[in-house]
Amino acid sequence: MDNRAILAEIPRLRRYARAMLGDRAAADDLVQDTLERAWSRLFQWRAGSDMRAWLFGIMHNLRVDQLRRPRLATQSIDEDDFDVPTRPTQTDELELRDIESALNHLPDEQREVLLLVALEEMGYADIAATLGIPIGTVMSRLSRGRERLRLIMNGEHASARLRVVR
Amino acid sequence: MSAQPITEADLQAWVDAALPEARRAEVEDYLAAQPAEAERVLAYQEQKLALRSLFNPVLDEPLPENLTALASPPPAAAIERPPKPLLERWSLQRIAASVLIALVGGLAGWLAHDRYPSAENLARTSPLPHQAAVAHAVFSPDVRRPVEVSAENEDQLVAWLSKRLGTPVRPPKLGALGFELIGGRLLPGNSGPVAQFMYQDATGQRLTLYVSTENATNQDTAFRFAKEGQVNVFYWIDGKFGYALSAGIDKGKLARIATAVYDQLDRK
């Protein structure tokens, strides 16, 4: 594994982790764990294969492990309330905020597929291989995730008026 | 109309520009005739764009040093070695490191606890939320035997736990919030027994209230929040009692339940 090749993947890993976890520090911790595990399991990587998919697969597995075997992260309530994710100021910030909070309402497995498609522009087959699931599952999670996100966003934009959603 | 019907997977692939040219044209014909479907897939495309504008700036952030350092092999990592010894070495190292951190942290915490009983120190070093979260993670997923004494024998449960803790304890009633007591158990604390009450709602979501009587400092605290992975914990200290309410539910909802628990315990 080439140092420059792995260095080039770090920003992408960070972007995805940030989008998955919503929290900068937790995301960088996950990236760090991913890189450490990648080094320790380098023998599993086949030279010439897609390093990005391999690293994202490691990150996915670590995240699954983390959800099963949680770690302590204590914070005071005040700190937590002021924990605003860093993001450049943009005119459409409100809309972006909406999609961010809507994203947090998706189940992990839908969010994961949605982000790999949207941010990483990974092919469906690559996502299936990375996550270790059948491609049909990728498609159904993508479809359900997108629809759910759309409905949440519609609901938020529909102000106080009730809308009938089939 | 096309020979093959347009599927949901075709529509998703259209959003992602993953269709062969011919199929793409067929999907576009279909969308031209189905305005509601067209609106839906356009919304998906907008989602994609919005997600990219939201998260792409992360790509341009300077990398933290600990991450750039990991672009090179860590010195301790033996590379191209068979899995087993390697894994053991890594995990031993990590365990040793985390034990050390826990010991130093715990010691520093207890030292700081008396000297600087500030909100932050209490929040960071109190072992209560950690113990409670671990106890929650261990027992709440247990399908067959989540509790030692079930709520059917609530009087016995209360009498037993009160006797073992050496002080009256009583589980609050959370039925109004959708959670019913399913029972309780006795657990080892730092210096003696602690009690865990377990509740469950209609969906099977479990909630545990961890009650310790080991607080020697008599330093009351307001609600504090801790998070261990998916387990959220609200905890507070009231006289010699330490309470911690743990569940894998969102913070706001847990806060409301914690308030109800606090109110009931306060009235006792």
Side-chain angles (χ1 to χ4, degrees), chain A residues 90-130:
Chain A
Q90 283 165 318
T91 48
D92 50 356
E93 190 173 2
L94 268 181
E95 190 178 324
L96 294 182
R97 264 177 198 286
D98 280 349
I99 197 158
E100 188 172 21
S101 70
L103 191 65
N104 289 330
H105 284 87
L106 294 188
D108 254 38
E109 67 264 15
Q110 290 175 14
R111 186 163 68 237
E112 195 170 49
V113 172
L114 210 114
L115 291 172
L116 288 176
V117 169
L119 301 180
E120 290 310 314
E121 299 178 68
M122 268 192 187
Y124 304 142
D126 291 339
I127 295 176
T130 300

Coordinates of all heavy atoms in Angstrom, one line a residue, chain A residues 90-130:
Chain A
Q90 N -23.3 29.4 3.7 CA -23.8 29.4 2.4 C -25.2 30.0 2.4 O -25.9 30.0 3.4 CB -23.9 27.9 1.8 CG -22.6 27.4 1.4 CD -22.6 25.9 1.3 OE1 -23.2 25.2 2.1 NE2 -21.9 25.4 0.3
T91 N -25.6 30.5 1.3 CA -26.9 31.2 1.2 C -28.0 30.2 1.4 O -29.0 30.5 2.0 CB -27.1 31.9 -0.1 OG1 -26.7 31.0 -1.1 CG2 -26.2 33.1 -0.2
D92 N -27.8 29.0 0.9 CA -28.9 28.0 1.1 C -28.7 27.1 2.3 O -29.0 26.0 2.3 CB -29.0 27.2 -0.2 CG -27.7 26.6 -0.6 OD1 -26.7 26.9 0.0 OD2 -27.6 25.8 -1.6
E93 N -28.1 27.7 3.3 CA -27.7 27.0 4.5 C -29.0 26.3 5.1 O -28.9 25.2 5.6 CB -27.0 27.8 5.5 CG -26.4 27.0 6.7 CD -25.6 27.9 7.6 OE1 -25.5 29.1 7.3 OE2 -25.0 27.3 8.5
L94 N -30.0 27.0 5.1 CA -31.2 26.5 5.8 C -31.7 25.2 5.1 O -32.0 24.2 5.8 CB -32.4 27.5 5.7 CG -32.5 28.5 6.9 CD1 -33.6 29.4 6.7 CD2 -32.6 27.6 8.2
E95 N -31.6 25.2 3.8 CA -32.0 24.0 3.1 C -31.1 22.9 3.4 O -31.5 21.7 3.6 CB -32.1 24.3 1.6 CG -32.7 23.2 0.8 CD -32.8 23.5 -0.7 OE1 -33.0 24.7 -1.0 OE2 -32.6 22.7 -1.5
L96 N -29.8 23.2 3.5 CA -28.8 22.2 3.7 C -29.0 21.6 5.2 O -28.9 20.4 5.4 CB -27.4 22.7 3.6 CG -27.0 23.1 2.2 CD1 -25.6 23.6 2.1 CD2 -27.2 22.0 1.2
R97 N -29.3 22.5 6.1 CA -29.6 22.1 7.4 C -30.7 21.1 7.4 O -30.7 20.1 8.1 CB -30.0 23.2 8.3 CG -28.9 23.8 9.1 CD -29.5 25.0 9.8 NE -28.5 25.9 10.3 CZ -27.7 25.6 11.3 NH1 -27.8 24.5 11.9 NH2 -26.7 26.5 11.7
D98 N -31.7 21.4 6.6 CA -32.9 20.5 6.6 C -32.4 19.1 6.1 O -32.8 18.1 6.7 CB -33.9 21.0 5.6 CG -34.7 22.1 6.3 OD1 -34.6 22.3 7.5 OD2 -35.5 22.8 5.6
I99 N -31.7 19.1 5.1 CA -31.3 17.7 4.5 C -30.4 17.0 5.5 O -30.5 15.8 5.7 CB -30.7 17.8 3.1 CG1 -30.7 16.4 2.5 CG2 -29.2 18.3 3.1 CD1 -30.6 16.4 1.0
E100 N -29.6 17.8 6.3 CA -28.8 17.2 7.3 C -29.6 16.6 8.4 O -29.4 15.4 8.8 CB -27.8 18.2 7.9 CG -26.8 17.5 8.8 CD -25.7 18.5 9.2 OE1 -25.9 19.7 9.2 OE2 -24.6 18.0 9.6
S101 N -30.6 17.3 8.9 CA -31.4 16.7 9.9 C -32.3 15.6 9.4 O -32.5 14.6 10.1 CB -32.2 17.8 10.7 OG -33.3 18.2 9.8
A102 N -32.8 15.7 8.2 CA -33.6 14.7 7.6 C -32.7 13.4 7.4 O -33.2 12.3 7.7 CB -34.1 15.1 6.2
L103 N -31.5 13.6 7.1 CA -30.5 12.5 6.9 C -30.4 11.7 8.2 O -30.3 10.5 8.2 CB -29.2 13.0 6.5 CG -28.1 12.1 6.0 CD1 -28.6 11.4 4.7 CD2 -26.8 12.8 5.8
N104 N -30.4 12.4 9.3 CA -30.2 11.8 10.6 C -31.4 11.0 11.0 O -31.4 10.2 11.9 CB -29.9 12.8 11.7 CG -28.6 13.4 11.5 OD1 -27.7 12.8 11.1 ND2 -28.4 14.7 11.9
H105 N -32.5 11.2 10.3 CA -33.7 10.4 10.6 C -33.8 9.1 9.8 O -34.7 8.3 9.9 CB -35.0 11.2 10.3 CG -35.2 12.2 11.4 ND1 -34.6 13.5 11.4 CD2 -35.9 12.2 12.6 CE1 -35.0 14.2 12.5 NE2 -35.7 13.4 13.2
L106 N -32.8 8.9 8.9 CA -32.8 7.6 8.2 C -32.2 6.5 9.0 O -31.2 6.8 9.7 CB -32.0 7.8 6.9 CG -32.6 8.7 5.8 CD1 -31.7 8.6 4.6 CD2 -34.0 8.4 5.5
P107 N -32.6 5.3 8.9 CA -31.9 4.2 9.5 C -30.5 4.1 8.9 O -30.3 4.5 7.8 CB -32.7 3.0 9.1 CG -34.0 3.5 8.5 CD -33.8 4.9 8.1
D108 N -29.6 3.7 9.7 CA -28.1 3.6 9.4 C -27.9 3.0 8.0 O -27.2 3.5 7.2 CB -27.4 2.8 10.4 CG -26.6 3.7 11.3 OD1 -27.0 4.8 11.6 OD2 -25.4 3.3 11.6
E109 N -28.6 1.8 7.8 CA -28.3 1.1 6.6 C -28.8 1.8 5.3 O -28.2 1.6 4.2 CB -28.8 -0.3 6.6 CG -30.3 -0.5 6.6 CD -30.9 -0.6 8.0 OE1 -30.2 -0.3 9.0 OE2 -32.1 -1.0 8.2
Q110 N -29.8 2.6 5.4 CA -30.3 3.4 4.3 C -29.4 4.6 4.1 O -29.0 4.9 2.9 CB -31.7 3.9 4.5 CG -32.7 2.7 4.4 CD -34.2 3.2 4.7 OE1 -34.4 4.4 4.7 NE2 -35.0 2.2 5.0
R111 N -29.0 5.2 5.2 CA -28.1 6.4 5.1 C -26.8 6.0 4.4 O -26.3 6.7 3.6 CB -27.9 7.0 6.5 CG -27.1 8.3 6.4 CD -27.3 9.1 7.7 NE -26.6 8.4 8.8 CZ -27.2 8.1 9.9 NH1 -28.5 8.3 10.1 NH2 -26.6 7.4 10.9
E112 N -26.3 4.9 4.8 CA -25.0 4.4 4.3 C -25.0 4.3 2.8 O -24.2 4.8 2.1 CB -24.8 3.0 5.0 CG -23.5 2.4 4.9 CD -23.5 1.2 5.8 OE1 -24.4 0.3 5.8 OE2 -22.5 1.1 6.6
V113 N -26.0 3.6 2.3 CA -26.1 3.4 0.8 C -26.3 4.7 0.1 O -25.6 5.0 -0.9 CB -27.3 2.4 0.5 CG1 -27.5 2.3 -1.0 CG2 -27.0 1.0 1.0
L114 N -27.2 5.5 0.7 CA -27.5 6.8 0.0 C -26.2 7.6 -0.1 O -26.0 8.3 -1.1 CB -28.5 7.5 0.9 CG -29.4 8.4 0.2 CD1 -30.8 7.9 0.3 CD2 -29.4 9.8 0.9
L115 N -25.4 7.6 1.0 CA -24.2 8.5 1.0 C -23.1 7.9 0.1 O -22.4 8.6 -0.6 CB -23.7 8.6 2.4 CG -24.5 9.5 3.3 CD1 -24.0 9.4 4.8 CD2 -24.6 10.9 2.9
L116 N -23.0 6.6 0.0 CA -22.0 6.0 -0.9 C -22.4 6.3 -2.3 O -21.5 6.6 -3.2 CB -21.9 4.5 -0.7 CG -21.3 4.0 0.6 CD1 -21.3 2.5 0.8 CD2 -19.8 4.5 0.7
V117 N -23.7 6.4 -2.6 CA -24.1 6.7 -4.0 C -23.9 8.2 -4.2 O -23.3 8.6 -5.2 CB -25.6 6.4 -4.2 CG1 -26.1 7.0 -5.5 CG2 -25.8 4.9 -4.2
A118 N -24.3 9.1 -3.3 CA -24.3 10.5 -3.5 C -22.9 11.1 -3.4 O -22.5 11.9 -4.3 CB -25.3 11.2 -2.5
L119 N -22.2 10.7 -2.4 CA -20.9 11.4 -2.2 C -19.8 10.6 -2.9 O -18.9 11.2 -3.5 CB -20.6 11.4 -0.7 CG -21.6 12.2 0.2 CD1 -21.1 12.2 1.7 CD2 -21.7 13.6 -0.3
E120 N -19.8 9.3 -2.8 CA -18.7 8.5 -3.4 C -18.9 8.2 -4.8 O -18.0 7.8 -5.5 CB -18.5 7.3 -2.6 CG -17.9 7.5 -1.2 CD -16.7 8.4 -1.2 OE1 -15.8 8.2 -2.1 OE2 -16.6 9.4 -0.4
E121 N -20.2 8.3 -5.3 CA -20.5 8.0 -6.6 C -20.1 6.6 -7.0 O -19.6 6.3 -8.0 CB -20.0 9.0 -7.6 CG -20.5 10.4 -7.4 CD -20.0 11.4 -8.3 OE1 -20.3 11.3 -9.5 OE2 -19.2 12.3 -7.8
M122 N -20.2 5.7 -6.0 CA -19.8 4.3 -6.2 C -20.9 3.6 -7.0 O -22.1 3.9 -6.9 CB -19.8 3.6 -4.8 CG -18.5 3.6 -4.2 SD -18.6 2.4 -2.8 CE -17.1 2.7 -2.0
G123 N -20.5 2.7 -7.8 CA -21.5 1.8 -8.5 C -22.2 0.9 -7.6 O -21.8 0.6 -6.5
Y124 N -23.5 0.5 -8.0 CA -24.3 -0.3 -7.1 C -23.5 -1.6 -6.7 O -23.6 -2.1 -5.6 CB -25.6 -0.6 -7.7 CG -26.4 0.6 -8.1 CD1 -27.2 0.6 -9.3 CD2 -26.4 1.7 -7.3 CE1 -27.9 1.8 -9.6 CE2 -27.1 2.9 -7.7 CZ -27.9 2.9 -8.8 OH -28.6 4.0 -9.2
A125 N -22.9 -2.2 -7.7 CA -22.2 -3.5 -7.5 C -21.0 -3.3 -6.5 O -20.8 -4.1 -5.6 CB -21.7 -4.1 -8.8
D126 N -20.3 -2.2 -6.6 CA -19.2 -1.9 -5.7 C -19.8 -1.7 -4.3 O -19.1 -2.1 -3.3 CB -18.5 -0.6 -6.1 CG -17.7 -0.8 -7.4 OD1 -17.4 -2.0 -7.7 OD2 -17.4 0.2 -8.1
I127 N -20.9 -1.0 -4.2 CA -21.5 -0.8 -2.8 C -21.9 -2.2 -2.2 O -21.6 -2.4 -1.1 CB -22.7 0.1 -2.9 CG1 -22.3 1.5 -3.4 CG2 -23.4 0.2 -1.6 CD1 -23.4 2.5 -3.6
A128 N -22.5 -3.0 -3.1 CA -22.8 -4.3 -2.6 C -21.6 -5.1 -2.1 O -21.7 -5.7 -1.0 CB -23.5 -5.1 -3.7
A129 N -20.5 -5.0 -2.8 CA -19.3 -5.7 -2.4 C -18.7 -5.0 -1.1 O -18.3 -5.7 -0.2 CB -18.2 -5.6 -3.5
T130 N -18.7 -3.7 -1.0 CA -18.2 -3.0 0.1 C -18.9 -3.3 1.4 O -18.3 -3.5 2.4 CB -18.2 -1.5 -0.1 OG1 -17.4 -1.2 -1.3 CG2 -17.6 -0.7 1.0

